[in-house]
Each structure stands twice: as structure tokens, then as C-alpha cells.
Amino acid sequence: MPTAPPDSPDPLARERAHLAASRAALRAMREDVEALDITDVTANWVNAAVLEAQIEQRIKALADLAHTPLFFGRLDYLPGTQEGQRFYIGRRHVHDGDGDPMVVDWRAPVSQPFYRASKKDPQDVALRRRFGYTGGELTAYEDEHLSDPDEAERTSKLLQAEIERPRVGPMRDIVATIQPEQDEIVRSGLGGTVCVQGGPGTGKTAVGLHRVAYLLYAHRERLARTGTLVIGPNRSFLHYIEQVLPALGELEVRQTTVDDLVGTRVEVRGADDAAAAVVKGDARMAEVLRRALYAHVTLPTEPLMVVRGSRRWRVPAYELEEMVRELLDRDIRYGAAREALPQRIAHAVLVRMEQAGEAPDDRVQNAVARNAAVKAAVKEVWPVVEPAKLVHRLLSDADFLAAHADGLLSAEEQKAVLWPKPPRSVKSAQWSAADAVLVDEAADLVERTHSLGHVVLDEAQDLSPMQYRAVGRRCTTGSATVLGDLAQGTTPWATASWADALRHLGKPDAAVEELTAGFRVPREVIAYASRLLPHIAPGLAEVRSVREAPGSLEIRRVPDATPAVVSACLSALEHEGSVGLIAADARLEPLARALAEAGLSCLAPGEETTPDSRLTLVPASLAKGLEYDYVVLDEPSAIVDAEPDERTGLRRLYVSLTRAVSGLTVVHAAELPEQLAD
């Protein structure tokens, strides 16, 4: 394959020449696709439209992003292995005019040793080379001779520099820095569900997104048919991660939140108090809904008379009852059973016709199934039930709820979920997010929810059992990647254990992997935050940060926190990179005024940072999943006190303390929570 002028004595010059040649080859690949004439391929306008859309997507996928390195590594295999070849590892495949690879996709099997090979297990690799870039320009390289016993194993400075590179803008991919334990999860098979427990800075979100990219590479045709979905905790988080998959060449993966996923059937305009939300999110509500739905089915007590022409056909009540009982015993969806019942009745009529000497066919059976008398009988016995109306009645009618929650919910729990002032209709109801999940559950009881090929669920520790069930319905025939940290659960219904969560998800046999090596949060910062672990998640392993950054943690006790916070923000902005000011939600307004008075403008979470606008004011309630180079944390006690209970408050504080990549400054006038004391 072409690399560089063979007479160049400078290795860096040869690598730059290969980069230039690879970019030229990528342009040629793109031009070849742009030059395709679909009129020569098909005359069918439908096929032409599909092909045109595919070509457009291919052109987008072949875009050469100026500030994104085309390749970031190189593998030289030992002679006699992989034919002694050299492979450049990058975000996408690039080939020359003869079809020979100039850059190999990081997801290809031949690329795997770039992430997993070591001095102990070189995997036939003679040399692993990492490249350093500045603004898209190749500026450095670093070699590891993995099969040379005389060379000591060492930490890669380029790898460390890439991990510590300042964060400006949305989340970046980690394709150049994936670690061996992360790579094992990324490349695990499509058939099984994987749950990743990972503390702050362990890269669990990036691992989940890169796993999607890998699965789409390895199983593209299958997932193109069945679909993939990424579910995040809120829209700010999704905005933060939305560029990762496109940077890896995957443009078609849908991203959403649980609330948006289930909120299509009713308009969410209200909110529950904690007590109501906990009960509505409890898995017992699934059985309450099932009972309430099937209570609409009644056993026939009268025979059915079907008139066709001059003949009358009688189906006795006991036979109709047998049909209904059989459908109930089969435990199929309510709607599917209702559709099957008229066909069962019609079949019984056809049997009688045949016994009378007639020869009816399928058309006659379908006509009987549509007979007015049959339709009336089905409507009486197995009526249509609208999911939203069912939930509306349960939450409005105390007697109806009591009848179907008997033995499941206590009187206090029933009272908690009932609407104080029942709305008159579905449209006028102030539906909450938890109500929307109940409607989604009811809808699935009526008609099976479409299943996708793979679902990634991030920040899963905050989901209720009913929310897990809602997500699980979207991957009943597929698999899932579940990402979270039990110590960061900040909802009243937060997950107690991954075993419980996976059971509610419908994936009880999923493998649970734990990431404990931290790559984002400095060692001093994570050690300080980990003082809270015994109080918020006893028994959970502490993150071991690989990044030692002396001076990265500063605790300031001041008489007045607000001016001190402004001063800390000004100091943080003297450094390169993004700055996040995290505070209790109630403190945002006075802090925003103080920043404005000091001439500092600030962004809201989800707004993209730029070199000219790097300060974001973050409510503690939205800090989860975000990261900033420098964080100023205002009044830790206020963050704890804002939550309904101490454990949730301490978990919220743990999240807030672990958002920093380079430095954390804690500013407080009030006493720190005792759990943070020396």
C-alpha cells in the first residue's frame, strides 16, 4: 500500500505523506459515489428513491472532517503473521484505487490488537504506533515494540494527553483511547445483554456508544432491519452526546429519553409528588393494570344466532364460553385475542354448515366473522379498551382501583396514586411522566410493542421498575446495553441492585461488568468524592483514577459564597477548556445575577461551549452525565438539603463533585456535610 516517498529519512514526514495520500483516497471514494447515475440502475421510482437516499447517506459517511484524524494508530505485525502487514487504524475504512486498504476501520478484527495487545500478550504485534494531532495536523508519534523483551512497558504520553485534552463543545468519541477492559465490552456479541456498572469517569457512556457503532459494523444488515436506539436521562444529555456516533460514521441511530419514548400517547403536563411517583413506578402496577384490563372481559350467558340467507345457525352459550376461556388461558395480548374471537365463532358456524352438507370456504368464514350479530357478541363479551382511558379510570375511580389493587397495594398506596380532583376526560388530565409509563404498559397489554434489535440505556440507575419494563418492551427479541452507577441514583425509586433492574427489564441473565479504572476525574477529586460512598452505596468499589493531578482539588471556606463563586469562575476561565458552575437549583438565580454583574455570560446545560463562551451554569439536578474541564461547586450542603432525603442529597452531591476533568473548586460558607469531613 502507498505510504510515503521511500527516500524520506524522516518517519514523521512519511506518516504525513500517508495521511495526505489517505485523504486523497477518501476524496476519490466520495467522488465515485457522487458520480453514480441511478437512472442506469433502475427505472422503478420507488427503488430509485431508496437508492438515492442510500447514496446520500454514503456520501455523508465519507465526509473528511478537517479536525478529525483519519487514522490514530498503526500496527506492524511480525513476519509470518497477517503476512507481516502494516495496518493504519482509523474511524473508517479507506482504500486506494486498486481496493487495497490504506486505513482500516477500528472495528475490524485486525484492529483489535491495537486496543488489547500488551507486553505480556503482544498478539503477534511487533510495533504499535500512536499518533498525536494538533488541529487535524499530524504532529507526533509514539512507538511500543510489544514483541521486544528488552523494551520496558510504559504509559503512553500521547494516550494520556488525549484523555486530558480540554473539553470544548459536545462529547467526543474515545476511539483512540479505548482501554482493554472497555474494548471487551464494546466487542461483546449482539446476542447477549450487557450491564455496565461504572463509577464517574470510567467511560461507561462512551463504551455504550462505541458498542453501538461496533454492533452496526459487525451486524449491519440485521440491525438495519430491526433498528437501534440510544436512551438517555434528559435532552441536555442527548445533546451532549449526539456527535459521537456521527463522528464514528453512524448517522442513523435514533436517540431519545424514556419520557419521550413513552409520551406519545398522552401529553405530559403534570407532575407527581415523590410518594405517588414511587407507587406508580412500582412493578406491582403492571398487575393492577392487567387485572383492570381483563376485567372488561365477560363470559357469555346467551347463545348466538347467526343468520345467512334463509338459514340460521346457533352457537350455544357454553361453546362461546369455552372460546373465551381458551383465549384467556393462552395469555395473548388483549387486542389479539379480541381479533381472534370472531374467527373462532365463525369457525364454529362453518362446522355446523359442513355438518348440514354445505361446502363453505375461507371467504364464507371471513364473511361470518364480519356478521353484525357476531360483531355485537364480541363487543359485548370482549369490548375495545383504550389504554389511556383505562389508566384514567384507575387513577380517578377509587372503587375501580381498589377492586383491582386488592392484595397488591395498601390503602395508603392506593390513596397516593389517586388524583385528588379527577379530570373529566383523557384530554383534560394533567398526565405526569409516571402516568405516561402506565399508559404505555396498558398499551402493550392491548397490542405488542415493536421490538428493536439493540437498545442502549444510559444512566439506568434512575429508572423505576415500570420504566425498565417500558424499555424492555422495546428489545424483547433483541438485546440491550445497560449503563449506570448505583452510587449516582438520585430518584426516590433509584435502582437498589442491577439484578432487580435486569429482572424488570426482562433480561435476568444479562452479564454484569464493572469498570473501576477512572480516566476522566483526577485522583484527588475522585478520592474526595468517594468519602460519600459508604453512606450512599455501601460495598460499591471505589473508582481508581489513573490521573494524578496535584492541585486539582481546592476547598474554600468563605464568609459569603456568592462573590467567592464569581471569583472562582474567573480563575477557572484563565485556564483552557470548559468551566461548569454547579449549584443547587434554588441558588441559580442569585448566582446568575452575580455573574452578570461581573460581566460574565453563562450558557445553560445543553448549549454548546465555544472558545468565546466557556462557562455553563448547571443546576445540580441536571449535572449527571455532563463533564467540564474545571468545575466550581457552590455550597455542597445546599445541594444535599434540596433533596427529599439525605441519601438522595448525598448522591446528588457525589454526582456534582465528579464532573471535573482537570480541576474542582468547592466554595462554601455553610458547613460541609459531615460525610465530607476529614
PDB file of all heavy atoms in Angstrom, residues 364-375:
ATOM      1  N   VAL A 364     -66.319 -17.495   3.137  1.00  0.00           N
ATOM      2  CA  VAL A 364     -67.534 -17.582   3.944  1.00  0.00           C
ATOM      3  C   VAL A 364     -67.207 -17.364   5.416  1.00  0.00           C
ATOM      4  O   VAL A 364     -67.923 -16.653   6.132  1.00  0.00           O
ATOM      5  CB  VAL A 364     -68.226 -18.947   3.733  1.00  0.00           C
ATOM      6  CG1 VAL A 364     -69.428 -19.087   4.676  1.00  0.00           C
ATOM      7  CG2 VAL A 364     -68.654 -19.111   2.294  1.00  0.00           C
ATOM      8  N   GLN A 365     -66.075 -17.941   5.870  1.00  0.00           N
ATOM      9  CA  GLN A 365     -65.697 -17.767   7.279  1.00  0.00           C
ATOM     10  C   GLN A 365     -65.441 -16.296   7.586  1.00  0.00           C
ATOM     11  O   GLN A 365     -65.879 -15.780   8.622  1.00  0.00           O
ATOM     12  CB  GLN A 365     -64.455 -18.601   7.614  1.00  0.00           C
ATOM     13  CG  GLN A 365     -64.002 -18.412   9.065  1.00  0.00           C
ATOM     14  CD  GLN A 365     -62.981 -19.423   9.502  1.00  0.00           C
ATOM     15  OE1 GLN A 365     -62.958 -20.530   8.996  1.00  0.00           O
ATOM     16  NE2 GLN A 365     -62.148 -19.039  10.464  1.00  0.00           N
ATOM     17  N   ASN A 366     -64.753 -15.618   6.683  1.00  0.00           N
ATOM     18  CA  ASN A 366     -64.496 -14.193   6.913  1.00  0.00           C
ATOM     19  C   ASN A 366     -65.785 -13.381   6.912  1.00  0.00           C
ATOM     20  O   ASN A 366     -65.938 -12.432   7.689  1.00  0.00           O
ATOM     21  CB  ASN A 366     -63.542 -13.656   5.851  1.00  0.00           C
ATOM     22  CG  ASN A 366     -62.141 -14.213   6.003  1.00  0.00           C
ATOM     23  OD1 ASN A 366     -61.731 -14.571   7.113  1.00  0.00           O
ATOM     24  ND2 ASN A 366     -61.404 -14.310   4.905  1.00  0.00           N
ATOM     25  N   ALA A 367     -66.713 -13.775   6.043  1.00  0.00           N
ATOM     26  CA  ALA A 367     -67.999 -13.070   5.996  1.00  0.00           C
ATOM     27  C   ALA A 367     -68.781 -13.279   7.290  1.00  0.00           C
ATOM     28  O   ALA A 367     -69.402 -12.344   7.819  1.00  0.00           O
ATOM     29  CB  ALA A 367     -68.812 -13.550   4.795  1.00  0.00           C
ATOM     30  N   VAL A 368     -68.739 -14.504   7.821  1.00  0.00           N
ATOM     31  CA  VAL A 368     -69.421 -14.782   9.091  1.00  0.00           C
ATOM     32  C   VAL A 368     -68.776 -13.987  10.220  1.00  0.00           C
ATOM     33  O   VAL A 368     -69.457 -13.446  11.102  1.00  0.00           O
ATOM     34  CB  VAL A 368     -69.403 -16.292   9.396  1.00  0.00           C
ATOM     35  CG1 VAL A 368     -69.941 -16.563  10.802  1.00  0.00           C
ATOM     36  CG2 VAL A 368     -70.211 -17.058   8.360  1.00  0.00           C
ATOM     37  N   ALA A 369     -67.454 -13.897  10.195  1.00  0.00           N
ATOM     38  CA  ALA A 369     -66.753 -13.152  11.251  1.00  0.00           C
ATOM     39  C   ALA A 369     -67.148 -11.676  11.240  1.00  0.00           C
ATOM     40  O   ALA A 369     -67.114 -11.015  12.292  1.00  0.00           O
ATOM     41  CB  ALA A 369     -65.247 -13.290  11.076  1.00  0.00           C
ATOM     42  N   ARG A 370     -67.540 -11.167  10.049  1.00  0.00           N
ATOM     43  CA  ARG A 370     -67.954  -9.769   9.953  1.00  0.00           C
ATOM     44  C   ARG A 370     -69.459  -9.583  10.131  1.00  0.00           C
ATOM     45  O   ARG A 370     -69.957  -8.460  10.068  1.00  0.00           O
ATOM     46  CB  ARG A 370     -67.530  -9.199   8.593  1.00  0.00           C
ATOM     47  CG  ARG A 370     -66.023  -9.128   8.381  1.00  0.00           C
ATOM     48  CD  ARG A 370     -65.689  -8.300   7.156  1.00  0.00           C
ATOM     49  NE  ARG A 370     -66.260  -8.880   5.948  1.00  0.00           N
ATOM     50  CZ  ARG A 370     -65.640  -9.758   5.159  1.00  0.00           C
ATOM     51  NH1 ARG A 370     -64.417 -10.176   5.472  1.00  0.00           N
ATOM     52  NH2 ARG A 370     -66.240 -10.230   4.075  1.00  0.00           N
ATOM     53  N   ASN A 371     -70.158 -10.685  10.380  1.00  0.00           N
ATOM     54  CA  ASN A 371     -71.608 -10.628  10.556  1.00  0.00           C
ATOM     55  C   ASN A 371     -71.966  -9.714  11.726  1.00  0.00           C
ATOM     56  O   ASN A 371     -71.285  -9.700  12.750  1.00  0.00           O
ATOM     57  CB  ASN A 371     -72.135 -12.046  10.796  1.00  0.00           C
ATOM     58  CG  ASN A 371     -73.632 -12.094  10.971  1.00  0.00           C
ATOM     59  OD1 ASN A 371     -74.131 -11.874  12.072  1.00  0.00           O
ATOM     60  ND2 ASN A 371     -74.352 -12.396   9.901  1.00  0.00           N
ATOM     61  N   ALA A 372     -73.053  -8.959  11.590  1.00  0.00           N
ATOM     62  CA  ALA A 372     -73.433  -7.986  12.617  1.00  0.00           C
ATOM     63  C   ALA A 372     -73.665  -8.645  13.971  1.00  0.00           C
ATOM     64  O   ALA A 372     -73.294  -8.102  15.018  1.00  0.00           O
ATOM     65  CB  ALA A 372     -74.677  -7.231  12.172  1.00  0.00           C
ATOM     66  N   ALA A 373     -74.284  -9.815  13.972  1.00  0.00           N
ATOM     67  CA  ALA A 373     -74.560 -10.500  15.235  1.00  0.00           C
ATOM     68  C   ALA A 373     -73.264 -10.936  15.918  1.00  0.00           C
ATOM     69  O   ALA A 373     -73.129 -10.844  17.147  1.00  0.00           O
ATOM     70  CB  ALA A 373     -75.467 -11.711  14.985  1.00  0.00           C
ATOM     71  N   VAL A 374     -72.305 -11.408  15.088  1.00  0.00           N
ATOM     72  CA  VAL A 374     -71.009 -11.826  15.654  1.00  0.00           C
ATOM     73  C   VAL A 374     -70.270 -10.618  16.220  1.00  0.00           C
ATOM     74  O   VAL A 374     -69.718 -10.660  17.334  1.00  0.00           O
ATOM     75  CB  VAL A 374     -70.155 -12.533  14.578  1.00  0.00           C
ATOM     76  CG1 VAL A 374     -68.745 -12.825  15.118  1.00  0.00           C
ATOM     77  CG2 VAL A 374     -70.829 -13.817  14.130  1.00  0.00           C
ATOM     78  N   LYS A 375     -70.264  -9.528  15.461  1.00  0.00           N
ATOM     79  CA  LYS A 375     -69.579  -8.317  15.927  1.00  0.00           C
ATOM     80  C   LYS A 375     -70.204  -7.779  17.211  1.00  0.00           C
ATOM     81  O   LYS A 375     -69.498  -7.340  18.127  1.00  0.00           O
ATOM     82  CB  LYS A 375     -69.609  -7.255  14.832  1.00  0.00           C
ATOM     83  CG  LYS A 375     -68.735  -7.629  13.627  1.00  0.00           C
ATOM     84  CD  LYS A 375     -69.015  -6.760  12.417  1.00  0.00           C
ATOM     85  CE  LYS A 375     -68.577  -5.346  12.617  1.00  0.00           C
ATOM     86  NZ  LYS A 375     -68.738  -4.536  11.372  1.00  0.00           N
TER      87      LYS A 375
END
